[in-house]
Amino acid sequence: MVSSDCRILTSSNSIFFSKSITLLKDEYLYREGEICDSIIYIEKGRINLYKDLNDKRMLFWLTVAPEIIGLTSFLNNDSTYNLSAIVAEDSVVKTIKPKCFLEILKNNGDYKRAIMSDLSKRINTMHIHTQIYIKGNAKQKVLNTLTDKEFNRGLFEQSACGLTINEISDINGLVLHNTKAILNNLACKGIISINEDIINILDYRKLHKEIT
């Protein structure tokens, strides 16, 4: 859901949500396979969603406040979470029981449409990303991740900073040393900068040329 939808939904239905809960970096909010007993609104901060594939932990999605997570399992009638949520930076969240969330949606068609649109974009992006993960070489994976605005939308909308080096490796199942080498090469060309392991894209035109 877009930022305005999230804020309006939570503020106008605050009675259904829990009090704010503070989470520290690297904490698990929930793990893949655990009982899906809550939908989570990220009030402040950033939480990454991971999937276990072939004995590797793959970073599937990045969520930046304000955002709602835990919806996919609920809407698919799954009893467990299908992804793991790990706090990427100190964050503040609120929770809501699925039945209460359903009641909110029943009474507002705009929220229904916003959620359907958001989930459709996520599914399409995850499909594309999975194909790159399986077939692409290391450089292709890194370049496609950096240029995928939909996948990284929260970060790019919030500031000029993008992903961390570790997140690039996790997203693509790459060895950290190889990821650093590719990114350092891009930095030497003046395409990106790296500040405390955070990627800053300096020249989108040159970055796209690297793909072609």
Side-chain angles (χ1 to χ4, degrees):
M1 297 178 69
V2 298
S3 299
S4 58
D5 289 325
C6 285
R7 290 196 181 98
I8 293 170
L9 186 151
T10 51
S11 62
S12 59
N13 298 280
S14 58
I15 189 173
F16 295 110
F17 286 83
S18 71
K19 293 182 179 179
S20 296
I21 302 166
T22 300
L23 301 169
L24 301 179
K25 182 181 178 181
D26 296 328
E27 277 190 62
Y28 272 86
L29 180 54
Y30 53 79
R31 296 175 185 267
E32 183 178 353
E34 289 184 346
I35 299 298
C36 178
D37 58 356
S38 295
I39 291 169
I40 295 93
Y41 168 62
I42 306 171
E43 191 173 26
K44 179 182 178 182
R46 186 158 65 94
I47 294 174
N48 292 341
L49 302 179
Y50 292 86
K51 182 74 176 177
D52 290 328
L53 290 174
N54 300 323
D55 297 323
K56 291 183 179 180
R57 190 180 72 174
M58 180 180 177
L59 180 52
F60 247 54
W61 201 260
L62 302 105
T63 57
V64 178
E67 184 61 281
I68 292 175
I69 59 175
L71 280 173
T72 308
S73 298
F74 162 61
L75 294 175
N76 286 340
N77 292 318
D78 291 337
S79 58
T80 59
Y81 292 110
N82 53 18
L83 297 170
S84 294
I86 302 177
V87 182
E89 63 183 44
D90 291 357
S91 302
V92 178
V93 303
K94 291 182 177 180
T95 64
I96 182 172
K97 294 300 179 183
K99 286 184 179 180
C100 294
F101 193 80
L102 184 59
E103 285 301 315
I104 294 172
L105 295 186
K106 282 181 178 179
N107 297 320
N108 194 305
D110 290 338
Y111 294 149
K112 290 180 186 177
R113 285 188 289 273
I115 288 174
M116 289 174 64
S117 174
D118 187 69
L119 289 176
S120 176
K121 289 178 182 178
R122 291 193 188 195
I123 291 168
N124 183 57
T125 301
M126 287 179 181
H127 173 72
I128 294 170
H129 182 65
T130 300
Q131 296 306 306
I132 294 169
Y133 178 81
I134 295 170
K135 299 177 181 179
N137 62 42
K139 185 177 180 181
Q140 286 174 329
K141 291 177 181 180
V142 171
L143 290 173
N144 277 284
T145 302
L146 288 174
T147 55
D148 191 339
K149 291 292 189 68
E150 178 59 34
F151 187 73
N152 304 317
R153 60 184 173 160
L155 294 173
F156 283 112
E157 287 174 0
Q158 193 176 60
S159 68
C161 294
L163 306 168
T164 67
I165 294 175
N166 282 332
E167 286 171 338
I168 293 283
S169 285
D170 286 347
I171 287 169
N172 295 294
L174 299 174
V175 176
L176 185 59
H177 174 77
N178 293 342
T179 306
K180 286 182 177 179
I182 294 167
L183 293 171
N184 285 334
N185 180 261
L186 294 174
C188 288
K189 294 179 179 179
I191 297 172
I192 66 170
S193 65
I194 304 173
N195 183 20
E196 295 183 352
D197 280 347
I198 296 176
I199 311 303
N200 214 13
I201 299 175
L202 304 177
D203 194 322
Y204 280 101
R205 183 178 60 83
K206 288 184 179 179
L207 183 61
H208 280 280
K209 280 188 174 182
E210 288 287 319
I211 296 176
T212 57

